[in-house]
Amino acid sequence: MPRTHASLPRLYIEPDLGQGASIALGKEQSLYLAAVLRKTVGDEVVLFNGRDGAWLSRLTSDSKKSVTLETIEQVATQTPVSDLWYGFAPLKTERLDYVIQKATEMGAGTIAPVLTKFTQVSRLKHEKLVANAIEAAEQCEVLSVPVVAAEITLAALLAGWTTTQGPRKLIVADESATSASPVDAIAALRGHPIGLLIGPEGGFSDEERAQLRAQPFVVPVSLGPRILRADTAAVAALAVIQAIIGDWR
Ligand code: SAM
């Protein structure tokens, strides 16, 4: 997207986008644009919906209850949705928000909460996770919002993996692995669909680790000699994956 539009607010919407489309925003987004950002008729924003690329659009009404806009021109063509699957053991409150936002910024296409033995959180507000993913997508100029899957237990995930994920390999950040660089193990997966799994604050249990290592689709990796916090490990692992075999190349 031209950097000239980088300073404009970006909003994720559901309706189709195209030349001359008229868009009516819901109450929440209308309030955000008209009251928080004080946008008025004629002001420009960038809209995207995950299907039609990004569209420079202009406000045609600025009522706080229902802002309407019309599209002016397409400023970015739709990019393919990321195939990177990211599973994580949910963390508490703001660190959970952080992990969802960072996974979105780092290019995850699917974000899947995985319940493990030491996971501290079991009830998740799915709509809040989705809202965090949308907010991150709006801020970091991605053109599609990752799918936030329903939570699943580790046992169910592993049992159903080959049925639901086919040939996808699952990179598991294993803090008990001998400290080593993950570069070679990840580079060997070039061309494969891949997933990444990060454990909870309390780590994987010994039984879980044995279960994981027994799976032919699992590739355990070390993230170096220090024990990283789960949210740090998520960003570190996603960065290494994107840099070696992902979309940073
Ligand atoms: N059991 C320790 C604890 O309770 O502090 C470590 C858990 S660590 C905070 C959470 C997750 O981050 C781990 O399950 C693992 O997925 C990942 N992780 C952290 N440091 C790592 C490392 N050096 N190598 C591989 N994975 C790591």
Side-chain angles (χ1 to χ4, degrees):
M1 182 167 80
R3 295 309 296 164
T4 45
H5 302 311
S7 59
L8 294 177
R10 297 179 79 251
L11 279 188
Y12 173 77
I13 59 167
E14 302 287 346
D16 291 341
L17 284 163
Q19 201 58 51
S22 294
I23 308 288
L25 296 183
K27 222 165 127 217
E28 208 174 301
Q29 288 186 317
S30 297
L31 203 61
Y32 172 65
L33 274 190
V36 175
L37 297 186
R38 297 183 183 285
K39 294 298 177 191
T40 55
V41 172
D43 283 345
E44 293 176 342
V45 301
V46 173
L47 300 178
F48 68 106
N49 60 11
R51 303 184 302 278
D52 303 319
W55 284 78
L56 179 66
S57 305
R58 178 184 301 124
L59 272 77
T60 47
S61 92
D62 52 24
S63 126
K64 292 188 180 58
K65 287 208 178 67
S66 64
V67 162
T68 55
L69 304 101
E70 65 186 3
T71 54
I72 303 167
E73 60 174 323
Q74 188 180 41
V75 290
T77 50
Q78 186 61 41
T79 47
V81 177
S82 160
D83 180 50
L84 178 54
W85 184 95
Y86 167 67
F88 70 108
L91 302 169
K92 279 193 177 136
T93 51
E94 68 282 350
R95 289 179 65 208
L96 179 57
D97 298 346
Y98 174 89
V99 160
I100 300 290
Q101 292 183 6
K102 298 314 145 194
T104 304
E105 291 170 45
M106 297 299 283
T110 299
I111 299 176
V114 178
L115 304 178
T116 67
K117 183 175 178 188
F118 300 135
T119 298
Q120 298 160 327
V121 173
S122 50
R123 287 198 51 68
L124 293 169
K125 291 198 183 82
H126 187 261
E127 64 285 353
K128 189 154 183 305
L129 306 188
V130 173
N132 273 302
I134 289 173
E135 189 185 334
E138 289 173 339
Q139 285 166 359
C140 68
E141 296 185 15
V142 292
L143 287 174
S144 22
V145 177
V147 170
V148 179
E151 60 265 31
I152 186 171
T153 63
L154 178 61
L157 177 76
L158 298 181
W161 185 266
T162 39
T163 318
T164 55
Q165 300 292 345
R168 189 183 300 276
K169 296 283 187 189
L170 179 60
I171 298 169
V172 174
D174 180 352
E175 72 275 15
S176 75
T178 318
S179 171
S181 161
V183 169
D184 294 343
I186 291 173
L189 297 175
R190 193 185 308 283
H192 279 278
I194 55 161
L196 167 67
L197 178 64
I198 300 285
E201 275 304 89
F204 291 112
S205 70
D206 292 343
E207 300 77 25
E208 288 170 339
R209 192 167 288 115
Q211 261 180 1
L212 283 163
R213 285 178 173 269
Q215 309 301 328
F217 53 80
V218 164
V219 179
V221 295
S222 162
L223 295 177
R226 288 168 293 280
I227 293 294
L228 310 175
R229 289 185 64 156
D231 40 2
T232 312
V235 178
L238 286 167
V240 168
I241 288 168
Q242 292 291 39
I244 298 168
I245 56 173
D247 64 9
W248 285 8
R249 287 169 56 246

